Amino acid sequence: MTRLFNDPADFADEALAGFVAAHRRWVRPVTGGVVRAAGTPAGQVAVVIGGGSGHYPAFSGLVGAGLAHGAAVGNVFASPSAQQIRSVAKAAHGGAGVLLMYGNYAGDVLHFGQAADRLNAEGVPTATFAVTDDISSAPADQAAKRRGIAGDLPVFKAAAAAAEAGQPLAEVARIAAHANARTRSFGIAFSGCTLPGADEPLFTVPAGRMAVGLGIHGEPGIGEAVLPTADEAAELLVAGLLKELPDGVTAPAGNRAAVILNGLGSVKYEELFVVYRRVAELLQEAGVTVVEPEVGELVTSFDMAGVSLTLTWLDAQLEPLWTAPADTPALRKGAVAPAAAGTAAAAPESMPETEDDALPQGTAASRETAVTAAAALRAVAATVAEHAEELGRIDAVAGDGDHGIGMLRGATAADAAARDAAERGAGAGTVLHRAADAWADRAGGTSGALWGTILHAVGDALGDEERPTAATVAAGVTRAGEEVRRVGGARVGDKTMVDVLVPFADTLAAATGAGDRLAAAWDRAAGAAGEAAAATADLLPQMGRARPHAEKSLGTPDAGAHSLALIVRAVHGVLSDTTEEH
C-alpha cells in the first residue's frame, strides 16, 4: 500500500515537487508539469507527453535529451487538464510545433484535444497522438479503442528521436503512428494498488490466482488464471503477444524487436530478471532478434504487483530511433551530445492561469444570481466532500477508483473560484465560467473536462446581464447535456453521467415549460436524476475504463452518474432556500 503521504489531495503536486528537486540536471518546473532544463533547441519539434500521476517514471521521468521535451502531469490516475497541457507545451515549444502524446484514455483524449485546439488557435502548430498498445483492452479489429500502457515508451521514444533528428511535425507524428502500429503489450497482476489515503486496494486477487490483462490505473484484469511460476508467466506473456503480429510481420522468425519487461510497482528487479531469462529464451526459439531490451520499472501503477511485456517490431526506420541516445532521469542510452547552440529561451517556472484576470462586472440583477450560483457551488463542494470516499469505492468496482479524489479537487476549486468572482462583482455567467475553468483545471480526467463543459454551458445561458428565468436555466442545462454528449461521445444507455444528465435536463425543461417555478421544477428533475442514477446499476458500460470489465460493474451504479444525482439534489437545497427565481 501507499504509506507515505500527507493530504491525499496534495499527493500528486508534492510528488512532482520532490521529483523536480531531485532531478534539476534534467528538468525544471512549469505550471502543469516539467520541461527540459536546457530548453528545446530552436527549430526542433517539441514532443510533450503526459498523463496522470502514479505511473512513475512515466511521465515526468522521461523528459530529457533524446526523449520528451516536456511532460504534463495530472492528479493521481487522472489526465492533466487542458490548461496544464497548454502551459507545458508553450514552455517546451521551440518554434517548430508540438506533438502531444498520451495513452488512449477518455480524459486524456478530451484534455489533450482541447489543448491542441487552443494551441493551434494561438499560432502554435500542434498535433496529437494516443498510444493503443494493450491487446487485452479491445480486439484487434477495434484497436483504436485499446489502452496505452508500457508501449507508451517505445512510441514516445521513436517520435522524440525523430524530432531530435530534425524531422518536421507531420513526419514526427507519422513516425509515432508507425511505431504504435508495430507495438503490442500484455500484462498480468497478482494484487491491485492502493491509492494514497485509501484503506483497501482497488482490486484483490484470490490466493493462488492472478489477474490477466490488467491496465495501469488499478483496473482489474480481464480474467483470472492459476498463479504461475516465473517461467509460466513468461510463456503466457510471450505466447499472447506472438498470437497477434502487426501488419508487415508475417511470422516472428527473422524479425527484430524492442522488448520491454515492465514491473508495475511491487515486482522487483531480481524477479523481473528471472522472468526475462525465459522471455529471452522463448523469443530466441521463435527466431526473434531482441534489440536493446529494457527490464525494470518503466510504467508503474503505485504498488501493484504485476508485470507487462511489450514488443515493438522494428524495421529499418524504427530501429535507429529505438537505439538513439537518450538522457533522462529514468532512461539513459548511449552518449547524448551537448545541447545544441541556439537553445530556445527558458520559459518561466510558472505561467498565469488566465491571460487577463480582470473580471467583467455584472448588472445588479446578475450579481444577485451570481451569489446564488456561488452558494450552489459551495453546496456542491460540501456534498462531494461528504461522499468522496463512496464515489471512489463505486468507481473502483470496474474502474480506477479516482472519481472521488478528482471530483473533490474539482468541486473545491470551483467553489473557491466562484466565491472569488462573486465577491469581486462578476455576473452569474462569469462566476460559472470561472468555476468551470477551475474545476476542469484542478480535477483533470474525464469528469473534470465534462464538469467544465456543464458549467460553461449553463454560464453561457445565464450571462452577466439579465436575471435568468426558470426557462433560461432549463435551456442552459439542456445545452449542457448536448455539449457533454458531443464532447464525450456517450449516449443514453452507455452507463455514464449522460444517463442522468439527459433525464434531468428533459424533466427540468418539461416542468419549467409547464409553468413550475425553478425550485419546484429542479426538485422534480432531481428526483428523476436519482432514479436514473440508480438504474445505471443494471447497465453494462460501453465507454471509459470500465468498458473492458463490463460484467464486474453489474449491480453497481456508474460513479459519474451517481455523483451528478447527488450534486443536483444538493443544488436544490440552495434553490429551495432562495425566495426569488434566480
Side-chain angles (χ1 to χ4, degrees), residues 212-306:
V212 179
L214 66 141
I216 58 168
H217 294 95
E219 310 98 321
I222 304 301
E224 286 184 4
V226 174
L227 187 67
T229 64
D231 283 1
E232 289 167 344
E235 290 157 9
L236 174 67
L237 294 170
V238 171
L241 293 180
L242 293 187
K243 284 179 183 176
E244 185 184 316
L245 301 176
D247 291 343
V249 180
T250 56
N255 282 282
R256 300 168 68 82
V259 179
I260 298 172
L261 183 64
N262 176 59
L264 281 154
S266 290
V267 176
K268 307 315 294 181
Y269 280 74
E270 283 86 350
E271 295 173 272
L272 292 172
F273 291 140
V274 173
V275 175
Y276 185 72
R277 161 193 142 273
R278 183 59 178 151
V279 167
E281 291 173 353
L282 291 167
L283 290 174
Q284 183 178 27
E285 291 170 6
V288 178
T289 299
V290 174
V291 179
E292 295 193 7
E294 294 287 341
V295 179
E297 294 180 343
L298 294 161
V299 181
T300 61
S301 185
F302 275 113
D303 60 334
M304 182 185 288

Side-chain angles (χ1 to χ4, degrees), residues 295-390:
V295 179
E297 294 180 343
L298 294 161
V299 181
T300 61
S301 185
F302 275 113
D303 60 334
M304 182 185 288
V307 298
S308 65
L309 181 65
T310 298
L311 299 182
T312 296
W313 297 92
L314 302 173
D315 58 13
Q317 182 176 58
L318 292 179
E319 184 165 340
L321 300 174
W322 172 245
T323 60
D327 183 24
T328 75
L331 183 73
R332 298 168 205 172
K333 280 176 174 279
V336 173
T343 296
E349 293 205 351
S350 63
M351 297 178 65
E353 297 300 314
T354 59
E355 274 68 24
D356 184 2
D357 196 46
L359 283 176
Q361 296 297 291
T363 64
S366 187
R367 289 200 299 271
E368 290 183 24
T369 304
V371 172
T372 301
L377 284 163
R378 193 170 312 125
V380 168
T383 295
V384 170
E386 179 183 355
H387 295 278
E389 185 175 345
E390 174 195 10

Side-chain angles (χ1 to χ4, degrees), residues 15 30 79-80 92 152 181 289 326 348 411 415 420 424 430 441 478 484 503 531 578:
V30 295
S79 69
D152 284 355
T289 299
D415 172 30
D420 175 71
R424 292 165 60 192
T430 296
D441 187 46
T478 296
V484 165
E531 293 174 1
T578 304

Side-chain angles (χ1 to χ4, degrees), residues 19 97 110 126 152 159 187 203-204 213 215-216 295 342 363 401 419 431 433 461 473 483 513 534 549 565 571:
F19 164 77
L110 287 172
T126 305
D152 284 355
F203 72 90
T204 58
I216 58 168
V295 179
T363 64
R419 276 187 287 167
V431 163
H433 288 161
V473 175
E483 284 297 294
H549 314 287
V571 171

Side-chain angles (χ1 to χ4, degrees), residues 372-381 383 432 439 451 455 458 473 477 504 508 518-519 522-523 526 563-578 582:
T372 301
L377 284 163
R378 193 170 312 125
V380 168
T383 295
L432 288 176
W439 192 315
W451 273 101
L455 294 177
V458 178
V473 175
V477 173
F504 174 75
L508 185 63
L518 181 58
W522 197 283
D523 184 33
S563 61
L564 175 56
L566 292 172
I567 284 170
V568 296
R569 178 51 69 190
V571 171
H572 173 256
V574 174
L575 296 177
S576 64
D577 291 337
T578 304
H582 55 74

Side-chain angles (χ1 to χ4, degrees), residues 417-474:
R419 276 187 287 167
D420 175 71
E423 289 170 358
R424 292 165 60 192
T430 296
V431 163
L432 288 176
H433 288 161
R434 286 299 179 99
D437 292 341
W439 192 315
D441 187 46
R442 186 63 176 159
T446 306
S447 66
L450 297 182
W451 273 101
T453 297
I454 290 169
L455 294 177
H456 257 292
V458 178
D460 288 345
L462 268 54
D464 291 331
E465 300 293 330
E466 305 294 331
R467 186 190 306 279
T469 65
T472 301
V473 175

Side-chain angles (χ1 to χ4, degrees), residues 116-183:
D117 290 343
R118 292 186 64 183
L119 289 163
N120 280 309
E122 293 167 354
V124 179
T126 305
T128 65
F129 190 81
V131 180
T132 57
D133 59 301
D134 179 18
I135 66 171
S136 297
S137 53
D141 60 356
Q142 299 179 40
K145 294 182 178 180
R146 287 177 167 175
R147 303 176 291 209
I149 54 174
D152 284 355
L153 175 57
V155 180
F156 293 167
K157 178 71 169 58
E164 203 84 27
Q167 296 291 347
L169 178 58
E171 179 64 6
V172 174
R174 187 198 67 78
I175 287 170
H178 180 54
N180 183 68
R182 296 176 72 90
T183 299

